[in-house]
Amino acid sequence: MGLCLGAQLLTTRSEEGVELGLGWVDAVTVRFDPAKAAERLAIPHMGWSDVKAVRAHPLLATEEAEPRFYFAHSYHIRCNDPDLTIGTATHGYEFAAAITSGNVAGVQVHPEKSNVFGMRLLRNFSEMASEPHSVASA
């Protein structure tokens, strides 16, 4: 599982430079685009935002209402296949906040700064990783 920048490294490339990413997820890392936002868009995106599950996945399973996570980033992931996105957040516009591809997962959030929500996310990943087919069976 990649966290924040680690999630971005899972993609094929980034607008931030010329080096290739790991390519483990069919996605690219792009800079936030102020032209897509209805209001003035502060970059970097820093602070707390809700993460909305777009499809059921054990990584985002929670008992807490309205999961909120801490973010600190200027770039975000854009998946070429929308089915790879399991959770979204909004900063001027909606973006992929949680992705999976096979047994690879990435989250744009900082779980270590996200209180009970971050602890739940890390616990979910730990439990998934210890299961016989890991994330691939999820």
Side-chain angles (χ1 to χ4, degrees):
M1 180 164 75
L3 307 175
C4 195
L5 175 62
Q8 295 172 0
L9 292 173
L10 301 173
T11 68
T12 58
R13 64 176 180 82
S14 173
E15 289 182 348
E16 191 170 12
V18 296
E19 299 300 324
L20 296 177
L22 293 171
W24 294 349
V25 177
D26 185 19
V28 294
T29 301
V30 297
R31 184 163 172 79
F32 274 106
D33 183 356
K36 289 184 178 180
E39 69 279 349
R40 186 174 178 274
L41 186 62
I43 301 172
H45 170 214
M46 293 187 73
W48 292 86
S49 293
D50 295 336
V51 172
K52 177 182 74 173
V54 294
R55 66 180 173 90
H57 192 280
L59 185 63
L60 297 180
T62 183
E63 297 166 1
E64 295 86 7
E66 301 179 22
R68 295 179 57 77
F69 293 89
Y70 188 82
F71 289 80
H73 60 124
S74 298
Y75 292 78
H76 64 88
I77 296 169
R78 185 175 62 217
C79 293
N80 293 321
D81 178 355
D83 289 338
L84 300 178
T85 301
I86 61 169
T88 61
T90 301
H91 181 63
Y93 54 90
E94 193 173 71
F95 65 91
I99 60 170
T100 61
S101 179
N103 65 348
V104 174
V107 292
Q108 190 63 69
V109 306
H110 283 270
E112 77 282 6
K113 294 184 176 196
S114 298
N115 200 327
V116 296
F117 307 112
M119 290 185 337
R120 169 68 70 183
L121 178 83
L122 294 173
R123 184 178 315 119
N124 288 349
F125 180 73
S126 174
E127 291 171 358
M128 289 168 38
S130 66
E131 291 176 7
H133 299 302
S134 189
V135 179
S137 64

